[in-house]
């Protein structure tokens, strides 16, 4: 077996474990709103106010679907629509304090869930995860760039 085969095998095994962790984590988080709504709130939290067309593209839904989603989230007080000071024809969707609070609480719930599980690991397993933090952090950055494109 070549080094390239070993690397591809390791990448596939790591990818499988990370994908499994991510999907199970998503299922365990509070379900007060849909996954698409939660993802849209997280995008607004991370990136700031956006046009509905941008949000639809980022979240992979149609513009009419995002319009309906934004309407529902606005009625729930999680987002608001505001005019763009730079272009009066444009309306931006922005997070309200309630929306930001929801994102922070959901994020903390995810951290707490993993912290509980990590607390069940042996000390050497925790040390291994600590040693992997730089690589995991870089992997998260690469995923963000792949999903959103490079920062401007």
């Amino acid at each position: 077996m070549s080094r390239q085969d070993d690397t591809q095998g390791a990448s596939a095994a790591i990818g499988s474990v990370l994908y499994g962790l991510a999907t199970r984590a998503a299922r365990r988080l509070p379900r007060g709103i849909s996954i698409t709504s939660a993802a849209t709130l997280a995008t607004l939290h991370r990136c700031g106010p956006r046009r509905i067309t941008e949000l639809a593209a980022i979240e992979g839904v149609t513009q009419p679907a995002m319009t309906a989603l934004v309407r529902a989230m606005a009625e729930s007080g999680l987002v608001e629509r505001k005019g763009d000071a730079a272009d009066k024809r444009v309306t931006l969707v922005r997070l309200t304090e309630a929306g930001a609070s929801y994102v922070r609480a959901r994020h903390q719930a995810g951290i707490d869930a993993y912290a509980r599980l990590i607390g069940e690991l042996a000390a050497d397993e925790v040390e291994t995860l600590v040693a992997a933090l730089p690589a995991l952090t870089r992997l998260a950055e690469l995923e963000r760039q792949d999903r959103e494109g490079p920062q401007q």
Side-chain angles (χ1 to χ4, degrees):
M1 184 180 278
S2 74
R3 180 171 163 79
Q4 184 178 4
D5 290 340
D6 288 345
T7 301
Q8 288 175 342
S11 294
I14 294 166
S16 177
V17 169
L18 291 175
Y19 181 78
L21 282 171
T23 55
R24 286 189 300 277
R27 287 186 198 119
R28 292 175 64 155
L29 288 172
R31 289 291 186 126
I33 61 176
S34 73
I35 291 174
T36 306
S37 295
T40 301
L41 292 176
T43 296
L44 291 169
H45 190 261
R46 216 177 31 257
C47 302
R50 291 286 180 259
R51 294 178 179 197
I52 286 180
T53 54
E54 291 176 284
L55 289 172
I58 291 168
E59 302 307 333
V61 299
T62 64
Q63 185 174 344
M66 183 56 67
T67 299
L69 192 73
V70 166
R71 184 178 310 114
M73 290 190 301
E75 289 170 1
S76 297
L78 299 171
V79 300
E80 61 185 0
R81 291 174 160 181
K82 291 285 186 182
D84 185 352
D87 185 346
K88 299 296 183 198
R89 300 169 296 168
V90 174
T91 299
L92 297 175
V93 179
R94 60 172 257 181
L95 217 48
T96 63
E97 182 50 43
S101 178
Y102 180 87
V103 171
R104 288 189 299 269
R106 188 174 166 94
H107 184 82
Q108 190 61 51
I111 291 170
D112 293 345
Y114 275 112
R116 279 191 304 278
L117 293 173
I118 291 167
E120 295 180 25
L121 296 175
D124 63 323
E125 292 171 318
V126 174
E127 289 175 18
T128 299
L129 289 176
V130 169
L133 275 173
L136 292 170
T137 301
R138 177 70 177 125
L139 187 61
E141 176 63 20
L142 290 171
E143 188 281 331
R144 186 203 56 78
Q145 288 175 1
D146 187 57
R147 181 174 26 90
E148 296 176 3
Q151 290 277 341
Q152 311 270 317

